[in-house]
């Protein structure tokens, strides 16, 4: 759904509302961004970034790489945007929370990402452009992900075992190896 606002596709959240995530349409319509707590690591002026045009039958691959204070966003294996954040990067671990659909736990609106997630991964290192371009949904990669959800089966399980099995809330469900998010409360 290209006209949605502020849905988080994949978010890591720590204590005290600290979070980083892949967010769609929050600052600028139809644009992907690196979302963060109070926009501390988010680029404010996204007007020069391309608008998403993928139709509702096509999956888009979105990746965000944090290398020091440099953030690079990729769309379908190609660089989408790049900037240097003003604050230091955040650190996360296996005791933190992973959200798929919701921007962060205490978001002021119940709106969530509306769409389909085929494959979600978190790496413990910054991948190169070549490594990102070589990623294929539901296929292993080198390097191995730190956490990986393929949505095969009935539960949202991290195939790497870093995080416990997820809880499906609202109208979220898994169907044909995909996580289906309705955007309202999933």
């Amino acid at each position: 759904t290209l006209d949605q606002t502020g849905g988080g596709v994949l978010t890591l959240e720590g204590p005290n509302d600290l979070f980083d995530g892949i967010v769609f349409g929050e600052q600028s319509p139809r644009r992907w961004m690196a979302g963060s707590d109070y926009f501390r690591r988010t680029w404010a002026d996204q007007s020069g970034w391309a608008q998403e045009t993928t139709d509702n039958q096509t999956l888009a691959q979105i990746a965000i790489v944090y290398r020091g204070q440099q953030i690079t966003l990729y769309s379908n294996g190609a660089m989408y945007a790049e900037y240097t954040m003003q604050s230091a990067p955040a650190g996360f671990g296996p005791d933190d929370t992973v959200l798929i659909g919701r921007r962060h736990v205490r978001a002021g609106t119940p709106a969530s990402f509306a769409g389909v997630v085929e494959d979600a991964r978190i790496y413990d290192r910054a991948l190169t452009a070549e490594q990102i371009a070589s990623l294929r949904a539901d296929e292993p990669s080198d390097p191995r992900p730190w956490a990986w959800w393929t949505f095969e089966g009935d539960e949202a399980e991290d195939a790497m075992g870093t995080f416990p099995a997820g809880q499906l809330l609202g109208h979220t469900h898994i169907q044909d190896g995909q996580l289906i998010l309705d955007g309202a409360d999933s």
Side-chain angles (χ1 to χ4, degrees), residues 4 12 14 18 21 23 41 54 61 72 82 86-87 89 97-98 101-102 105 123 125 134 140 142 157-158 162-163 175:
Q4 63 183 296
L12 274 166
L18 175 76
V23 177
R41 292 167 299 284
T54 302
Q61 179 207 49
T72 308
E82 187 171 50
Q86 298 301 314
S87 65
T97 301
V98 175
R102 188 88 186 228
V105 172
Y123 289 86
R125 67 199 71 196
S134 72
D142 184 24
E157 293 184 327
D158 170 13
T162 305
F163 292 93
Q175 179 179 325

Short mmCIF file of all heavy atoms in Angstrom, two decimals, residues 4 12 14 18 21 23 41 54 61 72 82 86-87 89 97-98 101-102 105 123 125 134 140 142 157-158 162-163 175:
data_model
loop_
_atom_site.label_atom_id
_atom_site.label_comp_id
_atom_site.label_asym_id
_atom_site.label_seq_id
_atom_site.Cartn_x
_atom_site.Cartn_y
_atom_site.Cartn_z
N GLN A 4 0.39 4.47 2.60
CA GLN A 4 0.43 4.32 4.06
C GLN A 4 1.50 5.22 4.66
O GLN A 4 2.41 5.67 3.97
CB GLN A 4 0.67 2.87 4.43
CG GLN A 4 2.03 2.33 3.96
CD GLN A 4 2.18 0.87 4.28
OE1 GLN A 4 2.20 0.50 5.44
NE2 GLN A 4 2.27 0.05 3.24
N LEU A 12 14.42 -2.92 15.43
CA LEU A 12 15.08 -3.39 16.66
C LEU A 12 14.83 -2.33 17.71
O LEU A 12 15.09 -1.14 17.47
CB LEU A 12 16.59 -3.54 16.44
CG LEU A 12 17.04 -4.85 15.88
CD1 LEU A 12 18.49 -4.75 15.41
CD2 LEU A 12 16.91 -5.95 16.91
N GLY A 14 15.32 -1.31 21.89
CA GLY A 14 15.93 -1.55 23.19
C GLY A 14 15.16 -0.83 24.28
O GLY A 14 14.05 -0.34 24.06
N LEU A 18 14.54 3.35 22.70
CA LEU A 18 15.62 3.39 21.72
C LEU A 18 15.29 2.40 20.62
O LEU A 18 15.02 1.22 20.89
CB LEU A 18 16.94 2.99 22.38
CG LEU A 18 18.14 2.86 21.45
CD1 LEU A 18 18.66 4.25 21.08
CD2 LEU A 18 19.23 2.06 22.13
N GLY A 21 14.90 1.22 12.70
CA GLY A 21 14.09 0.35 11.87
C GLY A 21 13.97 0.80 10.43
O GLY A 21 14.34 1.92 10.08
N VAL A 23 11.45 1.94 7.90
CA VAL A 23 10.13 2.56 8.02
C VAL A 23 9.71 3.11 6.65
O VAL A 23 10.55 3.59 5.89
CB VAL A 23 10.15 3.69 9.08
CG1 VAL A 23 8.81 4.39 9.18
CG2 VAL A 23 10.56 3.12 10.44
N ARG A 41 18.64 9.35 14.30
CA ARG A 41 19.52 8.78 13.27
C ARG A 41 18.82 8.74 11.91
O ARG A 41 19.18 7.98 11.04
CB ARG A 41 19.98 7.37 13.72
CG ARG A 41 20.91 7.44 14.95
CD ARG A 41 21.14 6.11 15.60
NE ARG A 41 19.93 5.48 16.10
CZ ARG A 41 19.27 5.84 17.22
NH1 ARG A 41 19.70 6.84 17.94
NH2 ARG A 41 18.19 5.21 17.60
N THR A 54 6.64 0.23 -6.52
CA THR A 54 6.35 -1.19 -6.64
C THR A 54 4.85 -1.44 -6.50
O THR A 54 4.22 -0.93 -5.58
CB THR A 54 7.11 -1.99 -5.55
OG1 THR A 54 8.50 -1.73 -5.71
CG2 THR A 54 6.85 -3.46 -5.67
N GLN A 61 12.94 -5.45 -2.17
CA GLN A 61 13.98 -5.75 -1.19
C GLN A 61 14.50 -4.42 -0.66
O GLN A 61 14.96 -3.58 -1.43
CB GLN A 61 15.14 -6.52 -1.83
CG GLN A 61 16.25 -6.81 -0.83
CD GLN A 61 17.61 -6.97 -1.48
OE1 GLN A 61 18.01 -6.13 -2.28
NE2 GLN A 61 18.29 -8.04 -1.14
N THR A 72 23.48 3.72 4.78
CA THR A 72 23.18 3.54 3.36
C THR A 72 21.92 2.70 3.25
O THR A 72 21.82 1.65 3.87
CB THR A 72 24.34 2.84 2.63
OG1 THR A 72 25.56 3.55 2.90
CG2 THR A 72 24.09 2.81 1.13
N GLU A 82 22.01 7.75 0.96
CA GLU A 82 23.17 7.62 1.85
C GLU A 82 23.37 8.94 2.59
O GLU A 82 23.18 10.01 2.01
CB GLU A 82 24.41 7.29 1.01
CG GLU A 82 25.63 6.96 1.82
CD GLU A 82 26.75 6.44 0.94
OE1 GLU A 82 27.07 7.10 -0.09
OE2 GLU A 82 27.31 5.39 1.28
N GLN A 86 24.06 12.32 12.70
CA GLN A 86 24.68 13.24 13.64
C GLN A 86 25.07 12.57 14.95
O GLN A 86 26.06 12.93 15.56
CB GLN A 86 23.73 14.41 13.92
CG GLN A 86 23.40 15.23 12.69
CD GLN A 86 24.64 15.83 12.05
OE1 GLN A 86 25.49 16.39 12.73
NE2 GLN A 86 24.76 15.67 10.74
N SER A 87 24.29 11.60 15.39
CA SER A 87 24.58 10.93 16.66
C SER A 87 25.26 9.59 16.42
O SER A 87 25.27 9.08 15.30
CB SER A 87 23.29 10.73 17.46
OG SER A 87 22.43 9.84 16.78
N PRO A 89 25.85 5.58 16.43
CA PRO A 89 24.91 4.49 16.18
C PRO A 89 24.46 3.84 17.48
O PRO A 89 25.16 3.87 18.48
CB PRO A 89 25.70 3.51 15.32
CG PRO A 89 27.12 3.87 15.50
CD PRO A 89 27.18 5.30 15.91
N THR A 97 14.01 -6.17 21.55
CA THR A 97 12.79 -6.59 20.88
C THR A 97 12.91 -6.38 19.37
O THR A 97 13.41 -5.35 18.93
CB THR A 97 11.60 -5.77 21.42
OG1 THR A 97 11.51 -5.98 22.83
CG2 THR A 97 10.30 -6.18 20.76
N VAL A 98 12.40 -7.34 18.61
CA VAL A 98 12.29 -7.21 17.16
C VAL A 98 10.81 -7.07 16.83
O VAL A 98 9.99 -7.85 17.30
CB VAL A 98 12.87 -8.44 16.43
CG1 VAL A 98 12.63 -8.32 14.92
CG2 VAL A 98 14.35 -8.60 16.73
N GLY A 101 6.22 -4.90 11.34
CA GLY A 101 4.90 -4.31 11.15
C GLY A 101 4.75 -3.00 11.90
O GLY A 101 4.36 -2.00 11.33
N ARG A 102 5.05 -3.00 13.15
CA ARG A 102 4.90 -1.80 13.99
C ARG A 102 6.21 -1.03 14.01
O ARG A 102 7.29 -1.61 14.07
CB ARG A 102 4.54 -2.26 15.40
CG ARG A 102 4.17 -1.20 16.37
CD ARG A 102 2.70 -0.90 16.31
NE ARG A 102 2.44 0.24 17.17
CZ ARG A 102 1.47 0.27 18.05
NH1 ARG A 102 0.67 -0.74 18.18
NH2 ARG A 102 1.30 1.34 18.78
N VAL A 105 7.38 -0.07 19.80
CA VAL A 105 6.40 -0.57 20.76
C VAL A 105 5.40 0.49 21.18
O VAL A 105 4.21 0.26 21.18
CB VAL A 105 7.11 -1.18 22.00
CG1 VAL A 105 6.11 -1.53 23.09
CG2 VAL A 105 7.92 -2.41 21.61
N TYR A 123 21.79 -8.64 10.35
CA TYR A 123 23.18 -9.07 10.33
C TYR A 123 23.95 -8.38 11.44
O TYR A 123 23.62 -7.25 11.83
CB TYR A 123 23.82 -8.77 8.97
CG TYR A 123 23.28 -9.67 7.88
CD1 TYR A 123 22.12 -9.35 7.21
CD2 TYR A 123 23.93 -10.85 7.55
CE1 TYR A 123 21.61 -10.18 6.22
CE2 TYR A 123 23.43 -11.69 6.57
CZ TYR A 123 22.26 -11.35 5.91
OH TYR A 123 21.76 -12.18 4.95
N ARG A 125 26.98 -7.40 11.15
CA ARG A 125 28.04 -6.66 10.49
C ARG A 125 27.44 -5.90 9.31
O ARG A 125 26.35 -6.22 8.85
CB ARG A 125 29.14 -7.59 9.98
CG ARG A 125 28.64 -8.49 8.84
CD ARG A 125 29.49 -9.68 8.59
NE ARG A 125 29.26 -10.57 9.72
CZ ARG A 125 30.03 -11.60 10.04
NH1 ARG A 125 31.05 -11.89 9.31
NH2 ARG A 125 29.76 -12.35 11.07
N SER A 134 23.24 -9.77 -3.83
CA SER A 134 23.21 -11.22 -4.02
C SER A 134 22.17 -11.93 -3.16
O SER A 134 21.90 -13.12 -3.35
CB SER A 134 24.59 -11.83 -3.74
OG SER A 134 24.86 -11.80 -2.35
N PRO A 140 19.91 -19.15 2.03
CA PRO A 140 21.00 -18.79 2.92
C PRO A 140 21.96 -17.80 2.26
O PRO A 140 22.03 -17.70 1.04
CB PRO A 140 21.71 -20.12 3.17
CG PRO A 140 20.75 -21.18 2.77
CD PRO A 140 19.87 -20.57 1.73
N ASP A 142 26.01 -15.69 2.69
CA ASP A 142 27.33 -15.61 3.29
C ASP A 142 27.72 -14.15 3.31
O ASP A 142 27.85 -13.56 2.24
CB ASP A 142 28.34 -16.44 2.49
CG ASP A 142 29.71 -16.46 3.14
OD1 ASP A 142 29.79 -16.25 4.37
OD2 ASP A 142 30.70 -16.65 2.42
N GLU A 157 9.25 -17.69 13.58
CA GLU A 157 10.44 -18.17 14.30
C GLU A 157 11.70 -17.66 13.65
O GLU A 157 11.84 -17.66 12.43
CB GLU A 157 10.46 -19.69 14.31
CG GLU A 157 9.34 -20.29 15.12
CD GLU A 157 9.42 -21.80 15.21
OE1 GLU A 157 9.87 -22.43 14.23
OE2 GLU A 157 9.02 -22.33 16.25
N ASP A 158 12.65 -17.23 14.50
CA ASP A 158 13.97 -16.84 14.05
C ASP A 158 14.76 -18.11 13.75
O ASP A 158 15.09 -18.88 14.66
CB ASP A 158 14.65 -16.00 15.14
CG ASP A 158 16.12 -15.73 14.88
OD1 ASP A 158 16.61 -15.97 13.75
OD2 ASP A 158 16.79 -15.27 15.82
N THR A 162 18.49 -16.67 17.55
CA THR A 162 18.93 -15.52 18.35
C THR A 162 17.80 -14.98 19.20
O THR A 162 18.01 -14.61 20.35
CB THR A 162 19.48 -14.41 17.42
OG1 THR A 162 20.50 -14.96 16.58
CG2 THR A 162 20.03 -13.24 18.22
N PHE A 163 16.59 -14.94 18.64
CA PHE A 163 15.42 -14.42 19.34
C PHE A 163 14.39 -15.53 19.52
O PHE A 163 14.31 -16.44 18.69
CB PHE A 163 14.79 -13.27 18.55
CG PHE A 163 15.66 -12.04 18.50
CD1 PHE A 163 16.53 -11.85 17.44
CD2 PHE A 163 15.61 -11.11 19.51
CE1 PHE A 163 17.35 -10.73 17.38
CE2 PHE A 163 16.42 -9.99 19.47
CZ PHE A 163 17.29 -9.80 18.40
N GLN A 175 0.97 -17.00 5.69
CA GLN A 175 0.30 -17.76 4.63
C GLN A 175 1.29 -17.94 3.47
O GLN A 175 1.90 -16.97 3.01
CB GLN A 175 -0.92 -16.98 4.15
CG GLN A 175 -1.69 -17.64 3.03
CD GLN A 175 -2.89 -16.79 2.65
OE1 GLN A 175 -3.53 -16.15 3.48
NE2 GLN A 175 -3.19 -16.80 1.38
#
